[in-house]
Amino acid sequence: ITIRGFNQRNVAVMIDGIPVNDMGNGWVYWSNWFGLDAVTSNIQVQRGLGASKIAIPSVGGTMNILTKGIGNKAGGTVKQEIGAFGKLRTSLGYNSGKLDNGWGYTLAGSYKKGNGFVNETWTEGFFYYAKIQKKMGNHILSLSAMGAPQKHGQRSYKSDIATYDTAYSQSLGDTSDFSGRIVNKGISYNKHWGYLDRWNLDGNGDTIHENGTLNTKQNYYHKPQFSLRDFWVVNDKFYFSNIAYASIGKGGGTGISGNTNNYDENGQYNLQEAYDANTNNLDPLYSDSENKAGTYLRSSMNNHYWYGLLSTLNYEVSDKISLSGGLDMRYYKGEHYREVYDLLGADYAIDESNSLQSSQIKKVGDIVGYHNDGLVKWSGLFSQAEYSNGILSAFFNLSASNSAYKRIDYFKKKNL
């Protein structure tokens, strides 16, 4: 999302008033919310700095996605999408509206899969959403849960233009020598995957044969979010809103460790060569019976635990003047590390990144490369006075936020 030329690091993105920008870098990972359209009631977009109900430095603007609730009419949707490159998505959604006893609920689910325009950028994912609401006097209580576990293949960085089309590259002034380089592969070319034929042992000790392709750059993630909201209409001029929420993210992205520049004559990574070398690589320094990995796949993990409380009040002094204010509290812990993901036929890998470790031998699931936690504490206050007479509108906003950062490193890099 880009607003007024600012990317989403400078745009506050919210779902039902709950901020979803990453606490570490401000980014919004939309694959974590891919099925949200099935339950969206409307979307509020504010361009630039302006009247806002949250203390957040969003110079590009603010975007709030509102989901359906008991204020919407009862009804459901069934949607089937079919597209190019194997795209298939099925979505179901139902909103009960307000029932006679004051209860209401919204349910939705979605499944998607596809091959992708770029080679081996397949995708598969699910989406689930549930909201239960109850009107109790002047209060509306709601409890919601949503998430979208997904996995997809990537083409994660750019190549020079000649890799895709030398004629186009030359038309732009490229006079370099293309000999010995990977060129003219078309714009759907992806260098990260390769062919692999291997044998594995399953859980019962039987050998299973796997023959096909493997993308070395994969992303997998699941970020469920849970929230409890109380919306209190004190009277026709004053209302008060409190939201407590939690979000727990788990997942990471894979890549090659070892020989990262081993490509065959077709421009694909030579996984078979790496696999064959790993299956016959005894190193007596570490083991006389197990094979050491020269090349393997590791996964960069980014797990997080995010808890927050958001309180907002609004008071209409008159038909033209309103006052509002609020409190925004957050706590975030991010776990960052790499782990062995696929040994490609070997039994172990060697990693010397941590001088505190008792053994350099690493197996699938063991941590390699780096290991640290990032802690973020955030508190914000805002107050606002707004005037509007139908022709002219003006507001005065005063807000402040305080953030604290801490890094805990579990690896010892060097002796000082």
Side-chain angles (χ1 to χ4, degrees):
I1 297 296
T2 300
I3 300 178
R4 296 179 62 243
F6 292 93
N7 69 24
Q8 53 197 19
R9 280 194 172 95
N10 295 298
V11 174
V13 179
M14 297 177 288
I15 299 175
D16 288 330
I18 300 173
V20 296
N21 297 72
D22 187 272
M23 288 288 286
N25 59 21
W27 201 247
V28 180
Y29 299 94
W30 289 98
S31 58
N32 294 328
W33 316 103
F34 86 88
L36 198 60
D37 57 315
V39 292
T40 296
S41 173
N42 58 75
I43 300 175
Q44 301 170 334
V45 177
Q46 174 186 283
R47 295 172 296 165
L49 291 169
S52 177
K53 296 293 191 291
I54 190 171
I56 193 168
S58 52
V59 295
T62 304
M63 177 179 178
N64 190 18
I65 301 172
L66 299 177
T67 59
K68 296 177 182 177
I70 60 177
N72 299 90
K73 292 182 179 180
T77 60
V78 178
K79 183 194 293 185
Q80 180 64 60
E81 297 173 75
I82 300 174
F85 309 104
K87 179 180 178 180
L88 180 69
R89 180 182 170 193
T90 304
S91 302
L92 304 172
Y94 181 75
N95 177 53
S96 71
K98 183 180 178 181
L99 303 176
D100 294 337
N101 55 6
W103 287 90
Y105 59 89
T106 304
L107 302 173
S110 187
Y111 169 75
K112 69 170 182 178
K113 70 175 183 178
N115 299 325
F117 165 70
V118 173
N119 295 336
E120 292 298 316
T121 54
W122 45 264
T123 181
E124 184 176 22
F126 300 86
F127 172 77
Y128 59 89
Y129 178 92
K131 178 195 283 185
I132 302 174
Q133 289 183 298
K134 169 70 172 176
K135 182 171 176 52
M136 302 174 62
N138 292 336
H139 292 264
I140 297 179
L141 297 175
S142 65
L143 176 65
S144 64
M146 73 176 83
Q150 58 81 33
K151 189 173 184 179
H152 63 267
Q154 295 182 305
R155 179 174 66 178
S156 61
Y157 52 83
K158 299 169 184 157
S159 298
D160 55 63
I161 296 175
T163 303
Y164 308 107
D165 190 334
T166 55
Y168 186 56
S169 177
Q170 289 171 335
S171 72
L172 297 175
D174 188 353
T175 59
S176 58
D177 183 10
F178 300 134
S179 60
R181 291 166 52 186
I182 301 172
V183 294
N184 287 326
K185 291 299 178 181
I187 58 176
S188 61
Y189 170 67
N190 182 3
K191 67 170 64 177
H192 299 314
W193 66 275
Y195 295 100
L196 182 59
D197 185 0
R198 59 177 166 183
W199 296 84
N200 280 327
L201 287 175
D202 64 11
N204 299 318
D206 298 323
T207 55
I208 54 175
H209 186 221
E210 298 178 4
N211 185 11
T213 61
L214 175 64
N215 190 338
T216 63
K217 300 287 284 186
Q218 300 178 26
N219 174 275
Y220 54 98
Y221 214 78
H222 183 204
K223 177 187 167 68
Q225 184 182 88
F226 310 93
S227 65
L228 176 63
R229 176 196 302 265
D230 173 36
F231 187 79
W232 179 21
V233 180
V234 181
N235 53 50
D236 57 356
K237 293 182 177 293
F238 180 45
Y239 69 80
F240 190 33
S241 172
N242 289 293
I243 307 172
Y245 63 92
S247 179
I248 302 172
K250 297 281 187 178
T254 65
I256 295 176
S257 182
N259 186 359
T260 60
N261 194 32
N262 181 17
Y263 295 96
D264 60 24
E265 64 276 7
N266 296 316
Q268 301 309 140
Y269 190 83
N270 203 331
L271 283 170
Q272 194 63 54
E273 182 178 291
Y275 177 86
D276 293 341
N278 284 347
T279 57
N280 188 28
N281 188 27
L282 289 176
D283 188 339
L285 181 63
Y286 299 101
S287 174
D288 292 327
S289 59
E290 294 186 317
N291 292 307
K292 183 177 75 173
T295 301
Y296 64 95
L297 299 186
R298 43 77 178 165
S299 186
S300 300
M301 306 297 293
N302 183 8
N303 304 328
H304 72 247
Y305 307 87
W306 181 354
Y307 309 97
L309 174 66
L310 186 62
S311 295
T312 306
L313 56 88
N314 194 84
Y315 180 69
E316 294 183 5
V317 179
S318 66
D319 294 338
K320 299 178 181 179
I321 300 175
S322 65
L323 303 175
S324 59
L327 171 68
D328 179 14
M329 304 289 290
R330 309 181 209 172
Y331 172 79
Y332 175 92
K333 177 185 177 182
E335 299 175 343
H336 314 116
Y337 57 91
R338 279 182 177 169
E339 66 179 22
V340 179
Y341 183 79
D342 188 337
L343 285 166
L344 297 177
D347 298 299
Y348 67 93
I350 297 299
D351 182 78
E352 301 177 347
S353 302
N354 183 12
S355 62
L356 293 176
Q357 64 189 6
S358 58
S359 174
Q360 300 166 318
I361 297 176
K362 305 297 177 184
K363 306 232 172 154
V364 172
D366 289 343
I367 295 177
V368 297
Y370 60 86
H371 185 193
N372 61 78
D373 291 345
L375 304 179
V376 183
K377 297 178 181 179
W378 169 287
S379 60
L381 287 168
F382 84 92
S383 59
Q384 182 170 282
E386 191 168 3
Y387 172 84
S388 177
N389 62 11
I391 299 175
L392 174 69
S393 64
F395 70 90
F396 178 77
N397 183 294
L398 181 63
S399 62
S401 62
N402 180 68
S403 54
Y405 300 89
K406 183 177 182 179
R407 173 187 169 98
I408 303 173
D409 201 324
Y410 298 98
F411 278 14
K412 185 178 180 181
K413 298 297 183 183
K414 63 176 70 174
N415 293 320
L416 299 179

